Amino acid sequence: MLTTSACRGRRPRQVPVIAGEAIDDALLHVHDEQRGRGHAGPLLCPAAATVTNAATIDDAAALALQLPEVTEGERHGNRTWYVARKAFAWERPFSKADLRRFGEQTPPDGPILAVRVEDLGEKEAVLAAHPDAFFTIPHFDGFAAVLIQLRKVSAPALREALTDGWLACAPPALASQFLSR
């Protein structure tokens, strides 16, 4: 069961969600929240959702492939999702160098997904809003992308992150068409 809670005075609302199922777009309010044209949504309201079912790479793939003109491929041996030949999301296991950089810290476990964001300002906002599921590593310093620990992300936050990544990479005409639907 996914529970969305009040944010900026909204009443709590409960919506059943099963990992891998499509989520009602009305709950997601794609991109408007981050542009200041609406109420806070799952990414910018940390209390907006909690997760009881861990997401998988297959769940991320299903969500990504629901977006217009997305293709799935492989890059560096990892599943990657593209729009207009630009990667907007990819499976991102840690390299040996990444693991060394963690030092004494325990690296996040489970599957990790990298997702593009519009710019470094949005990256900082997303990281601040969801410190439990969204993170970065030194390899991503100065790069407009976040890492998502799939075992900890809510279904709406994952869908919104993938949609935002898609919007960051989609051609302007396709993004406008998508947003106007």
Side-chain angles (χ1 to χ4, degrees):
M1 173 73 69
L2 171 78
T3 305
T4 58
S5 58
C7 189
R8 290 192 193 169
R10 290 191 330 210
R11 292 185 320 156
R13 181 175 174 189
Q14 293 188 343
V15 180
V17 174
I18 298 171
E21 278 192 349
I23 299 167
D24 182 6
D25 283 9
L27 290 176
L28 302 177
H29 308 288
V30 176
H31 232 49
D32 285 347
E33 300 83 353
Q34 295 168 342
R35 303 297 175 264
R37 296 186 304 258
H39 59 281
L43 281 182
L44 295 183
C45 180
T50 56
V51 67
T52 57
N53 293 332
T56 65
I57 290 292
D58 288 336
D59 294 330
L63 291 170
L65 291 168
Q66 289 176 2
L67 296 163
E69 299 184 25
V70 169
T71 58
E72 181 175 315
E74 190 174 293
R75 186 174 66 173
H76 307 295
N78 298 307
R79 289 172 78 178
T80 304
W81 295 272
Y82 301 88
V83 60
R85 296 190 317 234
K86 292 182 182 178
F88 70 93
W90 58 98
E91 187 175 14
R92 180 53 166 82
F94 296 123
S95 68
K96 290 179 185 177
D98 293 333
L99 293 172
R100 278 193 302 273
R101 286 184 195 110
F102 277 103
E104 297 295 319
Q105 286 183 300
T106 303
D109 65 336
I112 304 296
L113 187 72
V115 179
R116 293 290 306 260
V117 294
E118 185 175 351
D119 56 35
L120 295 177
E122 182 175 348
K123 177 179 181 174
E124 293 305 316
V126 169
L127 292 172
H130 285 281
D132 292 338
F134 290 73
F135 66 100
T136 191
I137 58 176
H139 183 77
F140 278 60
D141 287 351
F143 183 60
V146 294
L147 297 170
I148 303 171
Q149 189 175 6
L150 291 178
R151 289 186 179 165
K152 293 187 175 185
V153 70
S154 70
L158 176 59
R159 183 173 190 146
E160 187 169 348
L162 287 165
T163 302
D164 288 345
W166 181 90
L167 286 166
C169 294
L174 182 60
S176 293
Q177 181 184 24
F178 176 78
L179 290 172
S180 68
R181 68 174 181 132

